[in-house]
């Protein structure tokens, strides 16, 4: 190694790695805590994303969807719109989702039914009115009022399953996040402590370094690198766990369901990548806090 | 090279000063003994020069800089111009003589080939060329102090500060160390040496600055201990 790296880089790496090895029990504890806390953060994000995907139709408090005929004429659509506007005591608000928007949404909702999605084109995808009712129990009445009208294909409203799912995941997420935050704090403290131990076991070296004119950063960087390596190792474990969780979602939970039911839990590649990136960023932040505090506190002047 | 201008150092408010209104000037290439009873402020003098401490009042110049105006990030660069040696050697036990000396150059980012040749050269200068791969525990006290001097000198500092370098050594070994410091002084390096060893001071007949309770009570060229 020393042959290829500049003495400074070589020195920094060598110091950091040997410090990690010297306090390996503490190192492992720190890495595991980072891994567990970040896995929790990652899982919370995955569940949130999966549920959001599965129930995307019901975003923004929508609790009734009036699906229109794909071939509806503008005149008929306008008359339905007027009727919606004429029911302000039942319907709080409504917005129109065109062919293209609904087609894009179908791509997400029908993810576990690729055949059903393939049968659709933007032109054959029904557009819809998304409504927020003043009172969710009116959904049935609204549905029966519109269902038989010309130009209306059918009316759907979220079943109990979806409502429960949304509520449970919100609670689950909050719990996971609280636990994760506590664990993340412990992780930062553990990282801080491994660095403190490393500084302590090298205090003679550090005092000699100061005496012979090593810059503060030269002294600090190997210790900080140690913290970063712990954080990154933890993040790598967490990233692996999240990847595995996503596979579980795909293979176990993601069974095809009949239309109208909450669709299977899944997350897109983009969402998975985002989750992994968040994990790495949080690890970097955690270990910066831990190592920054440690060198500031234990290596001052 | 080194200048103290009415320097007073009080460590803790209310306690009596460790240095009191000291003014002294040391030129390039001088060899100065700092003598005085225990607690008279010799180590404090050194610590102020290394900017481990700031004076309570007064101003200090070293290596062309006023230390009170030196920003913190420049302190390491100041210290590269000031070598220092202590009574207790302060070698790293897990490094060989060679590695102890090389460490200094490594720490200030010198390239490896330069380190190699400079360290060998300075170890030859202190007479330890043959024992460079020994650990401090495998060296006598005098040899350990030679390694420490090599470490202080390897970067060719302008000034070498030695705080009782012979304090732990027998008289004969002390003379050897003295001769080595003299040799280093001949290369143009300024040497400031705090000592209790009257015999060495009388033998060398160099400039003597005497401290007593923090005050300079004597500054004598070609002086003696007491
Ligand atoms: N870090 C410190 N905090 C408080 N007081 C200190 C500190 N260092 C030294 N002193 C006090 O300052 C005075 C001078 O101490 P100094 O170490 O400079 O003496 P010295 O001449 O080196 O003594 P010796 O010959 O015993 O080494 C002493 O009274 C000492 O108690
Ligand atoms: Mg002293």
């Amino acid at each position: 190694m020393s042959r290829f790296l500049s003495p400074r880089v070589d020195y920094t790496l060598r110091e950091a790695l040997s410090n990690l090895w010297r306090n390996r029990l503490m190192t492992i504890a720190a890495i595991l805590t980072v891994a567990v806390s970040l896995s929790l953060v990652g899982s919370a994000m995955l569940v949130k994303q999966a549920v959001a995907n599965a129930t995307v139709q019901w975003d923004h408090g929508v609790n009734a969807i009036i699906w229109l005929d794909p071939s509806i004429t503008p005149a008929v659509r306008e008359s339905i719109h007027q009727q919606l506007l004429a029911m302000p005591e039942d319907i709080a608000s409504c917005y129109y989702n065109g062919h293209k928007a609904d087609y894009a949404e179908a791509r997400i909702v029908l993810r576990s039914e690729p055949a059903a999605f393939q049968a659709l084109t933007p032109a054959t995808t029904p557009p819809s009115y998304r409504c927020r009712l003043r009172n969710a129990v009116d959904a049935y009445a609204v549905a029966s009022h519109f269902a038989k009208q010309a130009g209306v294909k059918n009316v759907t409203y979220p079943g109990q399953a979806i409502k429960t799912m949304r509520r449970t995941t919100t609670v689950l997420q909050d719990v996971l996040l609280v636990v994760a935050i506590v664990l993340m704090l412990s992780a930062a403290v553990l990282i801080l402590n491994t660095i403190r131990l490393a500084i302590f076991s090298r205090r003679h070296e550090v005092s000699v370094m100061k005496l012979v004119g090593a810059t503060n950063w030269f002294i600090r960087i190997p210790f900080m690198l140690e913290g970063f390596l712990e954080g990154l190792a933890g993040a790598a474990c967490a990233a692996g766990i999240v990847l595995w969780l996503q596979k579980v979602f795909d293979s176990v939970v993601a069974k095809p369901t009949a239309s109208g039911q909450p669709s299977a839990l899944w997350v897109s590649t983009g969402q998975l990548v985002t989750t992994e990136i968040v994990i790495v960023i949080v690890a970097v932040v955690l270990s910066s806090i831990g190592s920054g505090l440690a060198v500031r506190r234990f290596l001052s002047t | 090279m080194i200048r103290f201008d009415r320097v007073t150092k009080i460590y803790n408010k209310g306690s009596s000063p460790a240095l009191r209104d000291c003014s002294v000037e040391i030129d390039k290439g001088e060899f100065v003994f700092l003598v005085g009873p225990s607690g008279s402020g010799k180590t404090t003098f050194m610590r102020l020069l290394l900017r481990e401490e700031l004076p309570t009042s007064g101003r200090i110049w070293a290596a062309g800089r006023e230390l009170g105006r030196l920003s913190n990030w420049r302190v390491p660069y100041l210290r590269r111009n000031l070598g220092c040696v202590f009574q207790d050697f302060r070698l790293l036990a897990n490094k060989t003589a060679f590695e102890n000396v090389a460490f200094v150059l490594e720490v200030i980012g010198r390239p490896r080939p330069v380190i190699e040749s400079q360290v060998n050269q300075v170890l030859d200068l202190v007479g330890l060329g043959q024992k460079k791969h020994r650990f401090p525990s495998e060296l006598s006290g005098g040899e350990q102090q030679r390694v420490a001097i090599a470490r202080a000198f390897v970067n060719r500092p302008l000034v070498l500060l030695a705080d009782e370098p012979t304090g732990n050594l027998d008289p004969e070994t002390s003379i050897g160390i003295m001769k080595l410091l003299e040799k280093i002084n001949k290369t143009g390096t300024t040497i400031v040496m705090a000592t209790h060893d009257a015999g060495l001071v009388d033998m060398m007949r160099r400039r003597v600055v005497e401290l007593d309770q923090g005050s300079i009570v004597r500054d004598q060229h070609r002086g003696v201990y007491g």
Side-chain angles (χ1 to χ4, degrees):
Chain A
M1 181 157 74
S2 48
R3 198 93 50 82
F4 305 107
L5 298 173
S6 83
R8 190 161 288 214
V9 175
D10 177 30
Y11 166 83
T12 306
L13 262 179
R14 188 155 37 83
E15 291 297 288
L17 291 175
S18 86
N19 283 346
L20 284 173
W21 179 245
R22 199 181 292 204
N23 299 313
R24 49 196 173 277
L25 273 182
M26 281 296 298
T27 303
I28 290 169
I31 291 176
L32 285 182
T33 315
V34 173
V36 171
S37 61
L38 292 183
S39 308
L40 285 181
V41 172
S43 325
M45 282 182 69
L46 275 195
V47 170
K48 180 193 166 80
Q49 288 160 341
V51 169
N53 288 342
T55 63
V56 62
Q57 294 175 330
W58 311 107
D59 277 354
H60 315 299
V62 165
N63 44 15
I65 304 177
I66 299 164
W67 300 97
L68 308 175
D69 269 334
S71 53
I72 189 170
T73 64
V76 176
R77 179 161 89 75
E78 185 53 31
S79 97
I80 292 172
H81 191 193
Q82 289 310 322
Q83 288 183 53
L84 288 168
L85 290 179
M87 304 170 73
E89 66 281 4
D90 291 327
I91 298 174
S93 65
C94 259
Y95 64 90
Y96 176 67
N97 239 23
H99 293 280
K100 281 197 189 122
D102 274 355
Y103 183 72
E105 189 187 86
R107 185 195 298 281
I108 299 173
V109 175
L110 296 178
R111 149 95 182 193
S112 54
E113 294 158 87
F117 178 69
Q118 244 130 56
L120 286 176
T121 66
T124 61
T125 308
S128 57
Y129 276 105
R130 307 293 170 101
C131 301
R132 263 187 334 118
L133 305 182
R134 294 222 183 272
N135 203 336
V137 293
D138 295 341
Y140 183 73
V142 171
S144 51
H145 174 77
F146 282 97
K148 293 179 215 85
Q149 301 222 359
V152 173
K153 203 165 155 264
N154 64 337
V155 179
T156 53
Y157 41 90
Q160 196 55 44
I162 284 178
K163 287 183 195 155
T164 313
M165 191 158 148
R166 288 204 142 204
R167 210 173 308 123
T168 323
T169 50
T170 315
V171 174
L172 182 71
Q173 244 180 67
D174 290 349
V175 172
L176 280 186
L177 275 183
V178 168
V179 176
I181 285 171
V182 171
L183 280 177
M184 285 194 287
L185 288 179
S186 331
V189 170
L190 278 173
I191 289 176
L192 183 143
N193 207 37
T194 51
I195 296 176
R196 191 177 69 94
L197 279 179
I199 292 173
F200 184 75
S201 65
R202 305 218 147 198
R203 61 196 181 284
H204 295 301
E205 257 134 310
V206 168
S207 71
V208 168
M209 285 205 262
K210 282 179 184 162
L211 218 48
V212 301
T215 57
N216 269 335
W217 282 113
F218 186 85
I219 299 174
R220 284 176 180 186
I221 280 172
F223 292 114
M224 296 198 64
L225 182 66
E226 187 186 338
F228 275 113
L229 290 178
E230 285 176 341
L232 288 182
C237 296
I241 291 172
V242 164
L243 208 61
W244 170 77
L245 262 182
Q246 190 256 354
K247 292 271 179 301
V248 171
F249 271 10
D250 256 9
S251 66
V252 180
V253 191
K255 295 186 198 102
T257 55
S259 305
Q261 295 298 307
S263 16
L265 286 176
W266 67 279
V267 292
S268 67
T269 312
Q271 289 169 325
L272 186 65
V273 170
T274 309
T275 305
E276 305 283 35
I277 289 174
V278 167
I279 285 178
V280 172
I281 290 174
V282 174
V284 167
V285 170
L286 275 184
S287 46
S288 315
I289 292 174
S291 11
L293 284 179
V295 296
R296 213 158 258 283
R297 174 80 177 72
F298 304 108
L299 275 181
S300 51
T301 47
Chain B
M1 178 62 29
I2 293 173
R3 189 147 86 92
F4 276 53
D5 183 21
R6 311 205 58 180
V7 172
T8 296
K9 174 66 189 176
I10 300 169
Y11 280 105
N12 301 311
K13 241 193 168 127
S15 65
S16 62
L19 281 182
R20 172 185 329 243
D21 205 17
C22 288
S23 296
V24 69
E25 221 169 305
I26 298 171
D27 289 331
K28 182 166 166 42
E30 271 196 277
F31 194 124
V32 181
F33 285 114
L34 213 52
V35 301
S38 184
S40 56
K42 304 183 293 294
T43 299
T44 300
F45 188 96
M46 305 274 187
R47 283 164 54 79
L48 286 169
L49 274 177
L50 288 167
R51 205 174 175 282
E52 286 185 353
E53 295 286 347
L54 282 170
T56 311
S57 69
R59 292 191 291 177
I60 301 172
W61 286 263
R65 301 212 167 259
E66 198 208 313
L67 305 192
R69 293 214 188 146
L70 200 63
S71 47
N72 280 331
W73 69 269
R74 280 185 197 267
V75 171
Y77 300 95
L78 166 79
R79 292 187 184 155
R80 292 175 192 189
N81 289 316
L82 307 170
C84 44
V85 178
F86 305 92
Q87 180 172 356
D88 56 359
F89 321 138
R90 301 201 191 168
L91 299 176
L92 299 173
N94 58 345
K95 291 189 192 298
T96 63
F98 183 94
E99 289 165 348
N100 262 287
V101 179
F103 187 59
V104 177
L105 298 177
E106 223 174 291
V107 146
I108 62 176
R110 288 290 144 84
R112 197 165 299 276
V114 174
I115 295 180
E116 194 84 14
S117 74
Q118 266 180 258
V119 173
N120 282 319
Q121 200 181 333
V122 79
L123 282 173
D124 285 340
L125 176 83
V126 303
L128 279 177
Q130 304 299 314
K131 299 182 176 174
K132 61 184 175 190
H133 296 305
R134 295 212 193 163
F135 287 94
S137 55
E138 302 164 341
L139 294 169
S140 73
E143 287 166 342
Q144 288 184 50
Q145 193 60 295
R146 283 168 190 273
V147 176
I149 291 172
R151 179 177 71 184
F153 188 60
V154 67
N155 194 31
R156 306 294 146 130
L158 302 167
V159 182
L160 197 142
L161 305 173
D163 195 356
E164 301 185 36
T166 61
N168 281 349
L169 305 174
D170 62 63
E172 213 167 308
T173 315
S174 299
I175 290 172
I177 294 293
M178 247 1 272
K179 293 257 158 72
L180 177 57
L181 290 177
E182 198 176 24
K183 191 153 108 186
I184 285 173
N185 180 235
K186 289 223 172 83
T187 68
T189 306
T190 308
I191 295 193
V192 180
M193 172 169 159
T195 187
H196 286 298
D197 191 328
L200 285 182
V201 178
D202 293 346
M203 179 188 90
M204 297 285 291
R205 302 303 298 245
R206 294 302 188 107
R207 181 175 173 189
V208 174
V209 172
E210 184 176 343
L211 287 167
D212 190 17
Q213 288 178 28
S215 302
I216 295 177
V217 294
R218 175 165 65 112
D219 184 349
Q220 186 180 18
H221 282 269
R222 306 185 62 78
V224 291
Y225 185 77

